Amino acid sequence: MKIAMTVWGERISPVLDCARTLLVAEIVREEVVARRYELFDARCLGQIMQILARQGISVLICGAISQEPANIIEAGGIQLIPFLAGDAEIILQTFARGQAISAFAMPGCRCYGRCRMSQCGSSRKRMRT
Amino acid sequence: MSDQVDRKEPGELVKAHENIASIANEIILESISDGVFTVDHEWRITSFNRAAEEITGIPREEAVGRFCWEVFRSNMCEGDCALKRTMKEGKSFVSSSTYIINKEKKRIPISVSTALLKNADDEILGGVETFRDCSVVEELRRELSGSVQMGDMVSRNKAMKQIFAILDQVALSDSAVLIEGETGTGKELLAKAIHNLSDRREQPFVGINCGALPDTLLESELFGYKAGAFTGAEKDKPGLFVAADGGTILLDEMGDTSPAFQVKLLRVLEEREFKPLGGVEMTRTNVRIIAATNRNLGQMIGEGRFRQDLFYRINIIRLKLPPLRERLEDIALLVERFIAKFNRLKDRAVSGIDNGALALLMSHSYPGNIRELENIIEHAFVLCQGDTIGVPHLPAYLLPSPRTANFAPEIQPTSGMSLDVAVSSTEETVILAALRRNNYNRRAAAEELGMHKSTLFRKLRRLGIELPLGDGRSVLAKPAR
């Protein structure tokens, strides 16, 4: 599977709405086998949707995101895992191994399993079910 | 005795004053309505006041110790961070406008001021950021200017999400757009959203209701006229095609125009030029046309009431807005937004709507669509003196009559309600709404609900729903004559 993360240096970009770099990673048997970076202008959502579609990306991990781009991305059939923060590589490896990434939730966004709307506790294995 | 109290050493007095000042500062910081946080040299938050908790929705204990961008989540963080500039240049910045994103994915407009944080010895300890929630100001500004963002159109509905998904590309294409939808579904709002997302957004957006004006007036409004064109035309008047030059023009109620006017409009679309009334020279125009209608233009072509060639000219991109009765999942969302809007406009503090009133709203068919729902909430604001809108605050035409299929029953407050009861209650509401929409025709209602009609009969019996005598069966059963 291919996933994408909006990144800022080595970290997850704090706000998708003004992010500039997309890390596209390919995961095979719980290993990240390929990585590439794509630059985009988040003000033009069509651009990011084109990249996601062209690369066949099924999951997008990002930091904070507002409702409008979230709607557009989800309407495009992409699984959105928002409101994460921290080292992009560690989150990527954790996700690739199928482990929960709830520990990387942004402050105020931890649902402790109570919030059905949030995907803070998403993991790759859980999403497959 | 008093002499002994007053006689303190100077050092002690200074210390006492410092303690009082420190306590006072803390109280002031906790009582002001501006959010304030401080960071150290590593950008980790060291203090976070009460207003900062309220504006961001993040508890202090979760914020302190975290990187400021993980908590603040502003569009400035990644690029032009005001606090970073302050730390770098050593000077304060006052009132930069920006926004932050809270955990509900809402953009909160704020103004930000930054300064260096220094101790008594003038050593820099870090930075301090003060921010103010500007939501109310922004809402009022939006109301006054009438401007719209795509973010103003909210929906959980699949059809609406599909429109949102392509709106960006539609806006950038510059092709003519046809928006179909019943009255009150938000056609003008969608047209404005397309304009605001397009490259023409800096130019004017002009809308005209073609159905409200007779041909001659419509032509003079759109194409303008020359002095002497008719009695009273004392000087040249440019039309809307000139006023909107470079921008977008919305031709609303397009299906209500006469065949003669349709010919003239077709010429403008084909030639990109028009002749003002009484003029002899053609005027070039560069406007994007968005047409809107609440009629079925395809059917009107078949009846000879709408020109096929004009239809093909405007039907390059067609967007169909669903009526509110097909967007029941959006009602709670829209109610919430209207309550927030009227709270701001009327300086009220209504916190929400109770389950009974919401169930009643869910069972209505909304011939006036979203505009009607907005009017209902405005009506409720007049009657509701408390903090929650209830059934008695809704307009009389929505209120329940005796329990028949004319009224979808209330879902009572969820506290103490078992899951089975809640499911049955919701099932009843949905079934009754479907029956009403289908004029109490059970077969049609069953089809809409995706079940066999015998299943529907069983459910009606189990739920004890009585249908009115004229249930619509006879209407559909008879072949059309």
Side-chain angles (χ1 to χ4, degrees), chain B residues 4-5 31 44 191 193 198 200 249 251 290 420 458 477:
Chain B
Q4 280 178 342
V5 171
S31 61
R44 288 191 185 272
S198 75
R200 294 175 180 266
I249 192 163
L251 303 174
I290 298 180
D420 286 348
R458 274 200 305 278

Side-chain angles (χ1 to χ4, degrees), chain B residues 323-343:
Chain B
L324 188 54
R325 63 181 172 277
E326 290 173 15
R327 295 172 53 186
L328 291 181
E329 65 269 50
D330 283 341
I331 286 177
L333 195 67
L334 291 165
V335 166
E336 186 188 309
R337 281 176 72 93
F338 291 140
I339 287 175
K341 176 183 170 181
F342 289 123
N343 272 337

Side-chain angles (χ1 to χ4, degrees), chain B residues 64-283:
Chain B
V64 171
R66 298 294 296 255
F67 288 118
C68 55
W69 57 81
E70 294 176 356
V71 175
F72 199 50
R73 307 194 291 245
S74 143
N75 60 328
M76 296 195 308
C77 293
E78 194 169 324
D80 186 29
C81 172
L83 197 52
K84 194 173 181 180
R85 274 193 290 153
T86 288
M87 301 278 266
K88 191 175 172 187
E89 298 172 23
K91 61 182 182 186
S92 303
F93 291 96
V94 179
S95 287
S96 311
S97 290
T98 182
Y99 65 82
I100 58 173
I101 296 178
N102 70 9
K103 66 177 175 179
E104 275 84 35
K105 301 192 184 113
K106 279 187 185 157
R107 282 188 183 187
I108 301 172
I110 54 165
S111 65
V112 169
S113 300
T114 54
L116 288 175
L117 183 65
K118 294 178 179 177
N119 66 9
D121 300 323
D122 223 22
E123 288 170 336
I124 297 172
L125 304 175
V128 55
E129 183 150 331
T130 311
F131 56 103
R132 181 169 295 174
D133 185 344
C134 301
S135 301
V136 176
V137 177
E138 281 300 311
E139 181 75 25
L140 290 173
R141 186 177 299 167
R142 204 173 298 167
E143 285 293 326
L144 287 172
S145 69
S147 69
V148 68
Q149 299 168 357
M150 185 183 161
D152 277 356
M153 299 185 68
V154 289
S155 183
R156 294 191 180 109
N157 178 266
K158 193 179 169 189
M160 290 298 291
K161 280 183 179 176
Q162 282 169 350
I163 292 175
F164 290 163
I166 59 168
L167 210 57
D168 218 19
Q169 287 93 321
V170 169
L172 295 173
S173 72
D174 212 36
S175 304
V177 178
L178 174 61
I179 302 174
E180 292 179 324
E182 292 178 10
T183 181
T185 48
K187 296 188 288 291
E188 185 168 349
L189 207 62
L190 183 62
K192 279 183 182 169
I194 292 170
H195 172 75
N196 287 343
L197 287 167
S198 75
D199 292 336
R200 294 175 180 266
R201 59 183 164 272
E202 301 300 328
Q203 304 302 321
F205 172 89
V206 177
I208 183 169
N209 186 335
C210 301
L213 302 172
D215 271 14
T216 46
L217 197 51
L218 186 57
E219 282 175 41
S220 77
E221 282 294 309
L222 282 174
F223 307 136
Y225 55 78
K226 293 286 181 187
F230 50 81
T231 309
E234 290 171 359
K235 54 182 181 179
D236 291 0
K237 183 199 168 216
L240 295 182
F241 273 110
V242 172
D245 197 40
T248 308
I249 192 163
L250 168 66
L251 303 174
D252 203 358
E253 308 299 359
M254 183 70 135
D256 294 345
T257 54
S258 72
F261 176 78
Q262 289 168 24
V263 174
K264 290 180 178 163
L265 190 61
L266 178 64
R267 185 180 171 84
V268 179
L269 291 174
E270 284 179 338
E271 310 292 336
R272 293 274 160 198
E273 59 183 18
F274 62 91
K275 196 187 291 180
L277 285 175
V280 288
E281 287 179 7
M282 301 300 282
T283 304

Side-chain angles (χ1 to χ4, degrees), chain A residues 93-109:
Chain A
Q93 295 293 348
T94 309
F95 184 80
R97 286 194 297 270
Q99 295 168 346
I101 48 179
S102 53
F104 301 99
M106 283 180 149
C109 300

